[in-house]
Amino acid sequence: MSTTASDPLAALGALPGVSDAVDSVRKAVDRVYGHRVMRRRSNEITAEAALRGARGSAALSGADWNLEEVRRRTDFSGDEESQVIGAALRLTAEAGQLLSIWRQSPLRVLARLHLVAAGGAAPDDTVGRPRLAGEPVDEPLIEAPLPDADEVAGRLEGLSGLILSGSAAPALVTAAVVHGELLALRPFGSYNGLVARTAERIVLIGSGLDPKAICPAEVGHAEQGRAAYVAAFEGYRSGTPDGMSTWIAHCGRAVELGVRESTAVCEALQRGAA
Protein backbone atom coordinates (compact mmCIF):
# COMPACT_ATOMS: atom_id res chain seq x y z
CA MET A 1 0.00 0.00 0.00
CA SER A 2 1.34 3.42 -0.89
CA THR A 3 2.00 6.07 1.73
CA THR A 4 -0.69 8.34 0.36
CA ALA A 5 -3.25 5.54 0.25
CA SER A 6 -2.77 4.84 3.94
CA ASP A 7 -2.32 8.49 4.89
CA PRO A 8 -5.20 10.72 3.67
CA LEU A 9 -3.46 13.91 4.77
CA ALA A 10 -0.33 13.00 2.82
CA ALA A 11 -2.54 12.38 -0.20
CA LEU A 12 -3.75 15.97 0.06
CA GLY A 13 -0.16 17.12 0.19
CA ALA A 14 0.34 15.53 -3.22
CA LEU A 15 -2.44 17.57 -4.87
CA PRO A 16 -1.40 19.96 -7.67
CA GLY A 17 -0.29 23.31 -6.32
CA VAL A 18 -0.12 22.21 -2.69
CA SER A 19 3.61 21.46 -2.71
CA ASP A 20 4.26 24.96 -4.06
CA ALA A 21 2.21 26.47 -1.22
CA VAL A 22 4.05 24.34 1.33
CA ASP A 23 7.47 25.38 -0.03
CA SER A 24 6.50 29.04 -0.10
CA VAL A 25 5.33 28.92 3.51
CA ARG A 26 8.46 27.11 4.66
CA LYS A 27 10.73 29.68 3.03
CA ALA A 28 8.75 32.59 4.50
CA VAL A 29 8.86 31.09 8.00
CA ASP A 30 12.58 30.40 7.73
CA ARG A 31 13.20 34.02 6.77
CA VAL A 32 11.45 35.51 9.78
CA TYR A 33 13.06 33.00 12.14
CA GLY A 34 16.42 34.07 10.74
CA HIS A 35 15.81 37.76 11.46
CA ARG A 36 18.47 39.17 13.77
CA VAL A 37 15.84 40.54 16.20
CA MET A 38 14.61 36.97 16.84
CA ARG A 39 17.91 36.13 18.49
CA ARG A 40 17.37 38.68 21.23
CA ARG A 41 13.69 39.56 21.45
CA SER A 42 11.72 36.53 20.31
CA ASN A 43 9.43 36.68 23.35
CA GLU A 44 8.29 40.16 22.33
CA ILE A 45 7.56 38.96 18.80
CA THR A 46 5.56 36.03 20.17
CA ALA A 47 3.49 38.29 22.42
CA GLU A 48 2.80 40.74 19.61
CA ALA A 49 1.91 37.92 17.21
CA ALA A 50 -0.61 36.58 19.73
CA LEU A 51 -2.25 39.98 20.08
CA ARG A 52 -2.42 40.55 16.33
CA GLY A 53 -3.60 37.03 15.70
CA ALA A 54 -6.43 37.42 18.21
CA ARG A 55 -7.46 40.69 16.59
CA GLY A 56 -7.50 39.06 13.16
CA SER A 57 -9.52 36.06 14.28
CA ALA A 58 -12.04 38.28 16.03
CA ALA A 59 -12.37 40.43 12.90
CA LEU A 60 -13.46 37.38 10.92
CA SER A 61 -16.07 36.69 13.60
CA GLY A 62 -17.51 40.18 13.26
CA ALA A 63 -15.51 42.19 15.80
CA ASP A 64 -13.15 44.17 13.58
CA TRP A 65 -11.44 46.46 16.09
CA ASN A 66 -8.40 48.64 15.64
CA LEU A 67 -5.28 46.94 17.00
CA GLU A 68 -4.57 49.73 19.46
CA GLU A 69 -8.09 49.48 20.85
CA VAL A 70 -7.56 45.77 21.44
CA ARG A 71 -4.22 46.53 23.09
CA ARG A 72 -5.68 49.27 25.31
CA ARG A 73 -8.90 47.62 26.46
CA THR A 74 -8.93 45.55 29.64
CA ASP A 75 -12.65 44.83 30.07
CA PHE A 76 -14.25 42.59 27.45
CA SER A 77 -17.43 41.74 29.32
CA GLY A 78 -19.67 44.29 27.63
CA ASP A 79 -21.40 43.99 24.28
CA GLU A 80 -21.17 41.05 21.87
CA GLU A 81 -18.18 42.43 19.95
CA SER A 82 -16.26 42.94 23.20
CA GLN A 83 -16.98 39.36 24.18
CA VAL A 84 -15.69 38.09 20.83
CA ILE A 85 -12.46 40.05 21.25
CA GLY A 86 -12.06 38.73 24.79
CA ALA A 87 -12.66 35.18 23.62
CA ALA A 88 -10.05 35.50 20.87
CA LEU A 89 -7.47 36.88 23.28
CA ARG A 90 -8.10 34.09 25.78
CA LEU A 91 -7.78 31.47 23.06
CA THR A 92 -4.43 32.70 21.75
CA ALA A 93 -3.12 32.78 25.32
CA GLU A 94 -4.33 29.23 25.93
CA ALA A 95 -3.12 27.65 22.68
CA GLY A 96 0.49 27.19 23.72
CA GLN A 97 -0.54 25.46 26.94
CA LEU A 98 -2.39 22.67 25.13
CA LEU A 99 0.25 21.29 22.77
CA SER A 100 1.05 18.12 24.72
CA ILE A 101 -2.64 17.39 25.33
CA TRP A 102 -3.42 17.90 21.63
CA ARG A 103 -1.07 15.07 20.71
CA GLN A 104 -2.88 12.73 23.12
CA SER A 105 -6.50 13.91 23.00
CA PRO A 106 -7.50 16.43 20.32
CA LEU A 107 -11.17 16.25 21.31
CA ARG A 108 -10.32 17.17 24.88
CA VAL A 109 -8.43 20.20 23.61
CA LEU A 110 -11.34 21.30 21.42
CA ALA A 111 -13.68 21.07 24.40
CA ARG A 112 -11.23 23.11 26.46
CA LEU A 113 -10.95 25.74 23.72
CA HIS A 114 -14.70 26.19 23.62
CA LEU A 115 -14.83 26.52 27.39
CA VAL A 116 -12.07 29.13 27.28
CA ALA A 117 -13.81 31.04 24.48
CA ALA A 118 -17.03 31.12 26.48
CA GLY A 119 -15.19 32.58 29.46
CA GLY A 120 -15.13 29.49 31.64
CA ALA A 121 -18.62 29.99 32.98
CA ALA A 122 -21.70 28.57 31.30
CA PRO A 123 -25.35 29.21 32.09
CA ASP A 124 -26.13 25.66 30.95
CA ASP A 125 -24.35 22.46 29.94
CA THR A 126 -23.82 23.29 26.27
CA VAL A 127 -20.35 24.83 26.69
CA GLY A 128 -17.33 22.59 26.25
CA ARG A 129 -19.09 19.75 24.46
CA PRO A 130 -20.28 19.05 20.91
CA ARG A 131 -23.85 20.09 20.24
CA LEU A 132 -26.71 17.64 20.51
CA ALA A 133 -29.59 17.14 18.09
CA GLY A 134 -31.76 20.23 17.85
CA GLU A 135 -29.34 22.60 19.58
CA PRO A 136 -28.78 25.88 17.72
CA VAL A 137 -25.47 27.21 16.42
CA ASP A 138 -24.48 30.87 16.42
CA GLU A 139 -21.74 31.34 13.81
CA PRO A 140 -21.99 34.72 12.07
CA LEU A 141 -19.67 34.09 9.13
CA ILE A 142 -20.28 30.54 7.91
CA GLU A 143 -23.77 29.96 6.55
CA ALA A 144 -23.23 26.53 4.98
CA PRO A 145 -25.72 23.81 5.94
CA LEU A 146 -25.05 22.30 9.35
CA PRO A 147 -24.24 18.60 9.63
CA ASP A 148 -26.48 16.87 12.16
CA ALA A 149 -25.21 15.91 15.60
CA ASP A 150 -24.52 12.28 14.68
CA GLU A 151 -22.44 13.30 11.68
CA VAL A 152 -20.56 15.83 13.82
CA ALA A 153 -19.71 13.16 16.39
CA GLY A 154 -18.52 10.72 13.74
CA ARG A 155 -16.42 13.23 11.86
CA LEU A 156 -14.84 14.57 15.05
CA GLU A 157 -13.79 11.04 15.91
CA GLY A 158 -12.38 10.66 12.42
CA LEU A 159 -10.44 13.90 12.71
CA SER A 160 -9.08 12.86 16.08
CA GLY A 161 -8.01 9.53 14.63
CA LEU A 162 -6.12 11.23 11.80
CA ILE A 163 -4.23 13.40 14.27
CA LEU A 164 -3.44 10.59 16.67
CA SER A 165 -2.27 8.21 13.95
CA GLY A 166 0.29 10.72 12.72
CA SER A 167 0.93 11.71 9.15
CA ALA A 168 3.74 12.41 6.74
CA ALA A 169 1.78 15.42 5.50
CA PRO A 170 3.30 18.88 5.83
CA ALA A 171 2.13 20.93 8.81
CA LEU A 172 0.32 23.36 6.55
CA VAL A 173 -1.86 20.57 5.14
CA THR A 174 -2.76 19.19 8.56
CA ALA A 175 -3.50 22.66 9.93
CA ALA A 176 -5.70 23.52 6.95
CA VAL A 177 -7.68 20.29 7.27
CA VAL A 178 -8.22 20.74 11.02
CA HIS A 179 -9.33 24.33 10.44
CA GLY A 180 -11.61 23.47 7.52
CA GLU A 181 -13.21 20.46 9.17
CA LEU A 182 -14.08 22.41 12.31
CA LEU A 183 -15.61 25.18 10.21
CA ALA A 184 -17.62 22.60 8.28
CA LEU A 185 -18.85 20.84 11.41
CA ARG A 186 -19.37 23.84 13.68
CA PRO A 187 -19.49 21.35 16.56
CA PHE A 188 -20.26 23.86 19.30
CA GLY A 189 -23.13 26.22 19.89
CA SER A 190 -20.90 29.28 19.58
CA TYR A 191 -17.36 30.52 18.80
CA ASN A 192 -16.70 27.80 16.21
CA GLY A 193 -14.69 30.08 13.94
CA LEU A 194 -12.47 31.23 16.79
CA VAL A 195 -11.95 27.64 17.93
CA ALA A 196 -11.16 26.45 14.40
CA ARG A 197 -8.52 29.14 13.87
CA THR A 198 -6.98 28.43 17.27
CA ALA A 199 -6.78 24.74 16.43
CA GLU A 200 -4.96 25.68 13.22
CA ARG A 201 -2.55 27.73 15.36
CA ILE A 202 -1.95 24.74 17.67
CA VAL A 203 -1.09 22.48 14.73
CA LEU A 204 1.33 25.01 13.23
CA ILE A 205 3.09 25.48 16.57
CA GLY A 206 3.08 21.85 17.65
CA SER A 207 4.30 20.56 14.29
CA GLY A 208 7.54 22.51 14.61
CA LEU A 209 6.77 24.76 11.65
CA ASP A 210 6.23 27.74 13.97
CA PRO A 211 7.43 26.63 17.41
CA LYS A 212 7.69 30.16 18.81
CA ALA A 213 4.19 31.11 17.56
CA ILE A 214 5.39 34.14 15.60
CA CYS A 215 3.53 33.51 12.33
CA PRO A 216 -0.11 34.38 13.08
CA ALA A 217 -2.20 32.86 10.29
CA GLU A 218 -5.25 34.61 11.75
CA VAL A 219 -3.75 37.92 10.61
CA GLY A 220 -3.50 36.61 7.08
CA HIS A 221 -7.00 35.17 7.05
CA ALA A 222 -8.37 38.55 8.12
CA GLU A 223 -6.20 40.45 5.64
CA GLN A 224 -7.47 38.37 2.73
CA GLY A 225 -10.98 39.33 3.77
CA ARG A 226 -14.13 37.60 4.88
CA ALA A 227 -15.40 37.01 1.34
CA ALA A 228 -12.18 35.29 0.24
CA TYR A 229 -12.18 33.22 3.44
CA VAL A 230 -15.71 31.98 2.85
CA ALA A 231 -15.03 31.31 -0.84
CA ALA A 232 -11.92 29.27 -0.04
CA PHE A 233 -13.81 27.38 2.65
CA GLU A 234 -16.44 26.44 0.07
CA GLY A 235 -13.59 24.77 -1.79
CA TYR A 236 -12.84 22.70 1.30
CA ARG A 237 -16.48 21.86 1.77
CA SER A 238 -16.74 20.65 -1.84
CA GLY A 239 -14.17 17.95 -1.13
CA THR A 240 -12.88 18.11 -4.71
CA PRO A 241 -9.14 18.10 -5.43
CA ASP A 242 -9.31 21.63 -6.82
CA GLY A 243 -11.38 22.83 -3.89
CA MET A 244 -9.06 21.29 -1.31
CA SER A 245 -6.02 22.74 -3.08
CA THR A 246 -7.65 26.17 -3.05
CA TRP A 247 -8.34 25.97 0.68
CA ILE A 248 -4.84 24.75 1.55
CA ALA A 249 -3.28 27.46 -0.61
CA HIS A 250 -5.50 30.06 1.08
CA CYS A 251 -4.30 28.88 4.49
CA GLY A 252 -0.72 28.97 3.24
CA ARG A 253 -1.13 32.54 2.07
CA ALA A 254 -2.56 33.39 5.49
CA VAL A 255 0.59 32.08 7.17
CA GLU A 256 2.77 34.06 4.76
CA LEU A 257 0.85 37.25 5.55
CA GLY A 258 1.27 36.48 9.24
CA VAL A 259 4.99 36.16 8.62
CA ARG A 260 4.96 39.53 6.86
CA GLU A 261 3.25 41.07 9.88
CA SER A 262 5.81 39.70 12.32
CA THR A 263 8.66 40.69 10.04
CA ALA A 264 7.37 44.26 10.17
CA VAL A 265 7.33 44.04 13.96
CA CYS A 266 10.94 42.80 13.90
CA GLU A 267 11.95 45.68 11.67
CA ALA A 268 10.22 48.17 13.95
CA LEU A 269 11.98 46.77 16.99
CA GLN A 270 15.28 46.90 15.17
CA ARG A 271 14.71 50.59 14.40
CA GLY A 272 13.72 51.20 18.01
CA ALA A 273 10.27 52.32 16.93
CA ALA A 274 8.32 49.69 18.86
Side-chain angles (χ1 to χ4, degrees), residues 126-209:
T126 65
V127 172
R129 64 156 175 79
R131 56 187 167 82
L132 303 178
E135 292 182 343
V137 172
D138 176 18
E139 181 52 50
L141 182 57
I142 304 301
E143 298 179 352
L146 278 170
D148 64 30
D150 288 341
E151 182 178 351
V152 167
R155 286 172 64 175
L156 281 176
E157 287 293 340
L159 181 64
S160 176
L162 280 177
I163 295 164
L164 292 174
S165 64
S167 174
L172 172 64
V173 173
T174 303
V177 168
V178 168
H179 183 170
E181 189 69 356
L182 292 174
L183 281 184
L185 296 179
R186 282 148 289 161
F188 304 109
S190 59
Y191 298 119
N192 287 289
L194 295 180
V195 168
R197 291 184 288 276
T198 305
E200 178 185 51
R201 167 182 280 264
I202 288 172
V203 174
L204 293 172
I205 298 169
S207 67
L209 177 66

Side-chain angles (χ1 to χ4, degrees), residues 91-92 94-103 106 109-110 113 163 171 175 178 195-211 213 218:
L91 285 169
T92 55
E94 187 79 4
Q97 311 302 314
L98 297 173
L99 297 175
S100 61
I101 303 173
W102 177 261
R103 298 184 186 104
V109 168
L110 293 176
L113 291 176
I163 295 164
V178 168
V195 168
R197 291 184 288 276
T198 305
E200 178 185 51
R201 167 182 280 264
I202 288 172
V203 174
L204 293 172
I205 298 169
S207 67
L209 177 66
D210 181 24
E218 305 96 324

Side-chain angles (χ1 to χ4, degrees), residues 25 29 48-60 92 171-172 175-176 179 193 196-205 209-210 213-225 229 247-262:
V25 165
V29 172
E48 190 65 20
L51 180 71
R52 295 179 185 222
R55 194 217 70 82
S57 191
L60 286 171
T92 55
L172 172 64
H179 183 170
R197 291 184 288 276
T198 305
E200 178 185 51
R201 167 182 280 264
I202 288 172
V203 174
L204 293 172
I205 298 169
L209 177 66
D210 181 24
I214 61 166
C215 307
E218 305 96 324
V219 168
H221 286 304
E223 186 170 334
Q224 292 178 90
Y229 183 75
W247 172 248
I248 293 167
H250 182 88
C251 292
R253 181 58 179 158
V255 176
E256 290 185 68
L257 290 170
V259 167
R260 187 175 72 180
E261 187 88 354
S262 287

Side-chain angles (χ1 to χ4, degrees), residues 218-239:
E218 305 96 324
V219 168
H221 286 304
E223 186 170 334
Q224 292 178 90
R226 300 177 93 198
Y229 183 75
V230 172
F233 166 66
E234 285 301 317
Y236 176 87
R237 213 169 66 81
S238 75

